């Protein structure tokens, strides 16, 4: 507590009154600070690198309600919608309005307005509330050579908002084939342009790409592994988080999934690559048996800086629903050593996004319209 220095040499009753006054102010300030700042027991337990505020029909949780749901438990959240909108085709499902991609054969299409929606939700918050979010740009078609122009335009239209791009999807079980237009590919130069730009602007990239096709033949080489590795190797300056460690819904964990991941982690060409363990499907695979859990925990303990926790929840309406994947991972948390657990739940998120934020702000400033 600092008082005006001109009073320091004063003495006598005047000085006594000042000291007493100062003491009262100190106590008051001290108490008000104690209530404003969370006590150690109230420090957030986790950050969430993978969260969808809205669903496949662009409906979701009000951002203020979501802050309530986060409560003291969750510190920061990488925030995005879903770029793919499920078309309600009357020809296909009649009066039934599908809300999920598995509920109809009708196509999905890229809904770019999601980025404006997320930006406006973020901007409606106070500075302090905003500091708990890292909004991500998702509303682009990664098979379009113009996608990068969309990302640039979003940064210039909403400066001060976004820290990354994603989750966007290249290969995903039943989703890829349903997307209207050209199918996304890891070999498309449109994707290279996106990753180049992410490096230039400092954006964190969160990419969903199933390592393998559904129901792959056991023992076969994962279908998209070598293409993914080539893509990552081509962009050493881009910070990439590979969502779900490359696992998919009915993509059974490839034989030696952990060994495949470890080969990437120890290869210096991939020092810029991280993995998120989000999605209840991933938690389910990791927790299949004590053996699979031990393999996963050992791997994460060996590379504590390279894994991040995420929920992959979509528009939850309660903290219980929001944190169900976090709770599901209880057995994993208890097998990680203390420092690793802290990094996976919080530290790695903070390191990556604290680095991204000022870089993206600097890019925006240099390219202001
Ligand atoms: Zn995903």
């Amino acid at each position: 507590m600092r008082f005006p220095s001109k009073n320091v040499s004063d003495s006598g009753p005047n000085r006594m009154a000042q000291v007493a006054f100062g003491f009262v102010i100190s106590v008051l300030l001290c108490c008000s600070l104690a209530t404003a700042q969370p006590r150690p027991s109230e420090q957030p337990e986790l950050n969430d690198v993978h969260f969808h505020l809205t669903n496949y029909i662009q409906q979701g949780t009000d951002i203020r309600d979501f802050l309530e749901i986060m409560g003291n438990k969750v510190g920061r959240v990488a925030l995005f919608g879903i770029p793919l909108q499920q078309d309600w085709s009357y020809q296909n499902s009649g009066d039934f309005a599908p809300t999920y991609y598995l509920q109809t054969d009708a196509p999905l299409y890229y809904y770019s307005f999601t980025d404006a929606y997320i930006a406006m939700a973020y901007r409606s918050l106070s500075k302090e509330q905003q500091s708990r979010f890292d909004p991500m740009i998702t509303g682009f078609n990664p098979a379009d050579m113009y996608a990068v122009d969309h990302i640039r335009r979003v940064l210039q239209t909403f400066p001060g908002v976004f820290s990354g791009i994603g989750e966007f999807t290249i290969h995903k079980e039943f989703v890829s084939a349903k997307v209207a237009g050209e199918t996304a590919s890891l070999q498309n130069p449109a994707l290279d342009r996106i990753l180049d730009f992410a490096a230039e602007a400092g954006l964190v990239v969160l990419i969903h790409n199933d390592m393998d096709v559904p129901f792959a033949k056991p023992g076969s080489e994962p279908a998209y592994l070598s293409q993914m590795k080539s893509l990552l190797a081509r962009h050493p300056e881009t910070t990439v988080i590979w969502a779900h460690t490359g696992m998919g819904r009915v993509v059974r964990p490839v034989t030696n999934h952990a060994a495949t991941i470890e080969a990437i982690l120890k290869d210096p060409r991939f020092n810029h690559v991280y993995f998120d363990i989000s999605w209840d499907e991933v938690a389910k695979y990791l927790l299949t048996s004590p053996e699979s859990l031990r393999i996963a925990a050992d791997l994460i303990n060996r590379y504590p800086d390279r894994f991040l926790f995420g929920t992959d929840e979509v528009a939850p309406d309660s903290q219980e629903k929001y944190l169900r994947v976090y709770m599901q991972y209880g057995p994993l948390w208890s097998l990680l050593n203390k420092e690793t657990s802290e990094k996976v739940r919080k530290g790695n998120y903070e390191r990556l996004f604290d680095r991204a934020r000022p870089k993206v702000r600097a890019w925006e400033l240099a390219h202001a319209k």
Side-chain angles (χ1 to χ4, degrees):
M1 182 84 228
R2 208 177 272 268
F3 289 100
S5 56
K6 71 179 176 69
N7 290 335
V8 167
S9 60
D10 284 3
S11 58
N14 200 19
R15 172 65 184 149
M16 291 292 284
Q18 277 172 5
V19 169
F21 178 68
F23 177 74
V24 170
I25 294 293
S26 298
V27 168
L28 284 175
L29 268 175
C30 195
C31 295
S32 70
L33 275 179
T35 49
Q37 283 177 347
R39 285 190 293 270
S41 62
E42 289 171 344
Q43 288 295 327
E45 265 178 54
L46 65 144
N47 296 318
D48 179 0
V49 79
H50 196 130
F51 177 70
H52 303 276
L53 189 65
T54 55
N55 63 9
Y56 278 91
I57 58 163
Q58 313 300 325
Q59 292 174 355
T61 310
D62 179 271
I63 198 160
R64 276 176 187 73
D65 295 340
F66 181 57
L67 272 164
E68 295 279 310
I69 290 170
M70 289 162 66
N72 290 332
K73 195 117 171 147
V74 183
R76 285 165 67 177
V77 174
L79 182 75
F80 37 92
I82 289 185
L84 290 163
Q85 159 83 30
Q86 176 60 60
D87 177 68
W88 177 3
S89 160
Y90 198 83
Q91 296 297 328
N92 186 276
S93 61
D95 288 327
F96 174 72
T99 59
Y100 198 55
Y101 64 90
L102 294 176
Q103 295 175 336
T104 166
D105 288 333
L108 297 157
Y109 63 94
Y110 289 100
Y111 188 84
S112 290
F113 187 73
T114 182
D115 294 330
Y117 180 85
I118 292 292
M120 295 306 280
Y122 175 85
R123 283 194 165 176
S124 73
L125 302 175
S126 70
K127 278 270 171 278
E128 195 204 337
Q129 292 169 327
Q130 286 178 350
S131 69
R132 300 181 65 186
F133 291 111
D134 288 283
M136 311 278 276
I137 298 168
T138 60
F140 55 87
N141 175 356
D144 182 354
M145 293 289 276
Y146 279 133
V148 69
D149 297 271
H150 169 83
I151 297 166
R152 223 179 256 124
R153 197 175 298 122
V154 172
L155 291 180
Q156 289 176 319
T157 309
F158 297 104
V161 175
F162 292 96
S163 310
I165 59 173
E167 174 194 31
F168 67 94
T169 296
I170 305 300
H171 292 290
K172 178 172 177 174
E173 14 96 2
F174 309 113
V175 170
S176 303
K178 280 186 60 147
V179 179
E182 191 183 347
T183 309
S185 156
L186 296 164
Q187 306 184 90
N188 192 327
L191 183 54
D192 287 299
R193 283 162 67 104
I194 293 168
L195 296 193
D196 279 344
F197 177 70
E200 180 195 324
L203 294 158
V204 173
V205 173
L206 178 59
I207 184 171
H208 178 126
N209 182 67
D210 291 352
M211 190 183 285
D212 209 347
V213 290
F215 310 117
K217 226 168 129 189
S220 56
E221 165 84 4
Y224 302 118
L225 177 59
S226 72
Q227 284 184 22
M228 184 66 172
K229 284 169 95 165
S230 308
L231 175 77
L232 295 170
R234 287 200 296 279
H235 299 280
E237 304 301 322
T238 310
T239 300
V240 179
I241 302 169
W242 191 350
H244 325 304
T245 73
M247 281 185 192
R249 177 188 299 281
V250 281
V251 181
R252 276 165 296 178
V254 288
T255 330
N256 295 329
H257 187 72
T260 307
I261 301 293
E262 180 154 29
I264 295 173
L265 290 168
K266 66 180 176 200
D267 186 333
R269 289 179 304 151
F270 303 122
N271 282 348
H272 58 300
V273 178
Y274 302 81
F275 295 91
D276 92 25
I277 57 167
S278 70
W279 204 7
D280 57 339
E281 296 285 328
V282 176
K284 193 179 76 190
Y285 286 127
L286 256 63
L287 298 164
T288 307
S289 66
E291 175 71 356
S292 62
L293 179 62
R294 192 190 53 74
I295 290 172
D298 285 353
L299 178 68
I300 298 172
N301 275 326
R302 279 200 299 282
Y303 299 91
D305 298 318
R306 308 290 288 279
F307 292 90
L308 296 93
F309 173 73
T311 61
D312 197 16
E313 280 308 324
V314 179
D317 56 16
S318 68
Q319 191 179 68
E320 193 191 345
K321 281 185 195 158
Y322 175 45
L323 293 181
R324 90 202 142 94
V325 176
Y326 179 67
M327 301 315 250
Q328 215 175 334
Y329 271 130
L332 176 70
W333 304 131
S334 58
L335 283 182
L336 298 181
N337 59 51
K338 195 164 173 278
E339 193 197 353
T340 302
S341 167
E342 178 80 12
K343 284 177 169 180
V344 174
R345 287 181 293 108
K346 289 196 282 190
N348 294 338
Y349 178 111
E350 282 156 22
R351 199 174 72 252
L352 297 190
F353 283 93
D354 286 351
R355 195 170 63 196
R357 280 181 179 182
K359 274 196 189 172
V360 183
R361 297 298 81 85
W363 185 93
E364 289 165 351
L365 207 62
H367 299 83
K369 282 238 159 140

